Amino acid sequence: METAPPPFRTAVDALRGASLRPQIEIEPTRAPQRLAPFAYALEAAVVDDGEDLADGRLVLLHDPAGHDAWHGTFRLVTLVRAELEPEMAADPLLPEVCWSWLTGAFQARGLSYGEPSGTVTRASSHYFGGLSERPAASQIEIRASWTPREGLGGVPDTASHLAAWCDLLCQIAGLPPTGPPDTSVVTLPQRRGPQSH
């Protein structure tokens, strides 16, 4: 970090100082080395009543020279995962709904961003033989990246982007939103009982 440019250091300090929901457990992790000259990564989990409901990784990338595909000097990259009830996993609209949660989280916080891209994947696991007693499990996975718009000093509001990302993580975990009720928002039902991993 000592050799990183000031805008990147400021952006990372904002991530470290962000105030998040109490159900979010977050810590720094090793960042990928080849995606950009400078990178910082966080791992987070949504834990409620001692149960892990969802987890994810958020990576802040910075290229002081700018990047054509990013249309900026910063980029945020994420992977979010959660287990689903089988009936939810069968919903044909689930991928579109999950993607709308990501963009909706930015809009709800008034964040400016560009060049969003990503995938929503759902997978089902069925167990056989020695594992046949395990119930079938379904998982949703969101991989996404976007360019946070830069503000004063060429630094994006990374703390707010982190908070929006945590809103997505909580939503995919089935936790209710913390703000006033929004009847247009669909939340996954919370999973309870033993989970198979």
Side-chain angles (χ1 to χ4, degrees):
M1 287 296 295
E2 293 76 13
T3 60
F8 181 71
R9 292 203 305 267
T10 300
V12 169
D13 286 344
L15 289 175
R16 290 173 171 166
S19 177
L20 305 174
R21 286 179 68 161
Q23 295 94 340
I24 297 285
E25 294 184 358
I26 194 164
E27 62 182 8
T29 188
R30 183 176 174 81
Q33 301 299 305
R34 298 181 180 178
L35 298 180
F38 302 95
Y40 181 79
L42 294 166
E43 281 184 347
V46 180
V47 181
D48 193 35
D49 291 334
E51 183 182 357
D52 284 8
L53 300 177
D55 62 77
R57 190 174 195 226
L58 184 69
V59 181
L60 175 67
L61 304 175
H62 179 54
D63 186 341
H67 194 291
D68 290 344
W70 301 353
H71 289 232
T73 62
F74 284 90
R75 187 78 171 167
L76 284 162
V77 181
T78 187
L79 165 65
V80 171
R81 292 180 302 241
E83 287 193 31
L84 298 175
E85 298 296 340
E87 57 271 19
M88 285 296 299
D91 186 338
L93 296 178
L94 184 66
E96 288 80 5
V97 169
C98 288
W99 184 257
S100 74
W101 289 343
L102 175 65
T103 57
F106 300 145
Q107 292 164 4
R109 291 183 176 269
L111 295 175
S112 181
Y113 67 99
E115 316 308 321
S117 64
T119 61
V120 177
T121 306
R122 54 185 159 189
S124 296
S125 299
H126 299 266
Y127 300 94
F128 301 93
L131 300 176
S132 61
E133 292 184 3
R134 290 190 184 184
S138 299
Q139 187 179 70
I140 191 78
E141 181 180 278
I142 302 172
R143 293 178 181 268
S145 63
W146 65 95
T147 298
R149 292 298 181 222
E150 295 160 22
L152 294 175
V155 182
D157 183 0
T158 51
S160 293
H161 280 271
L162 174 60
W165 178 73
C166 289
D167 292 343
L168 166 68
L169 205 57
C170 289
Q171 197 159 16
I172 201 172
L175 296 186
T178 54
D182 182 348
T183 55
S184 67
V185 173
V186 178
T187 304
L188 290 180
Q190 271 191 278
R191 295 172 293 104
R192 285 289 175 243
Q195 300 296 313
S196 300
H197 294 283

